[in-house]
Amino acid sequence: MSAQKKEIKRITVHTLRRMKEVGEKISMLTAYDFSMARILDEAGIEVLLVGDSASNVMAGHETTLPITLNQMVYHASSVIRGISRALVVVDLPFGTYQGNSKKALASAIRIMKEAGAHAVKLEGGIAVKDSIKRILSAGVPVMGHLGLTPQSIYKFGTYVVRAREEDEAEQLKKDAKLLESLGCFAIVLEKIPSDLAKEVADSVKIPIIGIGAGPHVDGQVLVTHDMLGITKEFRPRFLRVYTDLYAEITKAAQAYFDDVKSGDFPNEKEQY
Ligand code: KIV
């Protein structure tokens, strides 16, 4: 019997579109490093987002604003080395695409060329139309992000649910249609009412990925460190915490501490 190499079918933007067409939900999680990317990819997660939430969970900043393009390239290239199947989408960080479409294209090209990413994500609707158009014109797939857009936190003032008021909901619906017509391959909707998210998902052909946007969308995304229970202070209502890694890691570190102090580690088998 000849040893056959198992063929891995890579996830592409077309795969996601087909998943929406047949009603198969899309799973997306954040990843910022090689080891986590490998675990999530092997677990079957279809889309890995190198989110600018790395600014919070990896670097300890209060907001996503401080992270730089160089830092995003570093995180993205680490994630790319860990995957063999997932689609890797990378956030364009604050200040690298707003108000200047040429700069936006240059930023997207750095992400694609230096990190080997598959797509970029950026926040906003009509306000970033020119940037999206120019990036798409270079053949770079773009994922949109509407609703609560953390890069605008100082404009919003708080992280409360967005688009509860009719005028903001209307603008969000228009923006979603605009992003689809420009050629975005998917949109993240963050922290908006479930009914509104459903209306948007039903009104466009591209996949809508929700975070705090209810179940009637085409897929879900969470920040991996949140769903693993590592970021113990962050417990919004939309979050499901699947394990308590904060406690598990603390337990393991304390056991190691005790073993080092007592001289129990390393034992006879753990030496040369
Ligand atoms: O940066 C990020 O992690 C994100 C998700 C919250 C969608 O944009």
Side-chain angles (χ1 to χ4, degrees), residues 30 32 49 51-53 91 121 145 188 190 211 221 223:
T30 59
Y32 319 110
L49 172 66
D52 58 0
S53 51
D91 266 335
K121 173 164 87 58
H145 185 155
V188 166
E190 181 164 354
I211 172 164
V221 56
V223 170

Side-chain angles (χ1 to χ4, degrees), residues 19 30 36-37 40 45 47 77 101 110 127 171 191 204 212 249 264:
M19 288 172 77
T30 59
M36 186 66 82
L40 301 180
I45 302 300
V47 186
S77 57
S101 66
R110 279 202 61 201
Q171 187 58 52
K191 225 171 169 185
V204 295
I249 294 170
D264 188 56

Side-chain angles (χ1 to χ4, degrees), residues 194-267:
S194 175
D195 288 351
L196 175 61
K198 177 179 180 347
E199 209 181 320
V200 174
D202 290 346
S203 74
V204 295
K205 291 199 164 65
I206 57 174
I208 299 294
I209 315 288
I211 172 164
H216 310 295
V217 287
D218 308 301
Q220 299 291 331
V221 56
L222 285 175
V223 170
T224 300
H225 288 62
D226 297 339
M227 56 83 81
L228 293 180
I230 297 175
T231 44
K232 67 171 178 173
E233 307 84 5
F234 187 67
R235 289 288 181 272
R237 175 165 154 183
F238 69 76
L239 175 65
R240 186 174 295 179
V241 182
Y242 285 82
T243 183
D244 188 353
L245 274 197
Y246 198 103
E248 289 301 317
I249 294 170
T250 303
K251 222 163 50 186
Q254 285 170 345
Y256 170 73
F257 176 91
D258 291 344
D259 289 349
V260 171
K261 297 288 175 185
S262 67
D264 188 56
F265 175 80
N267 64 23

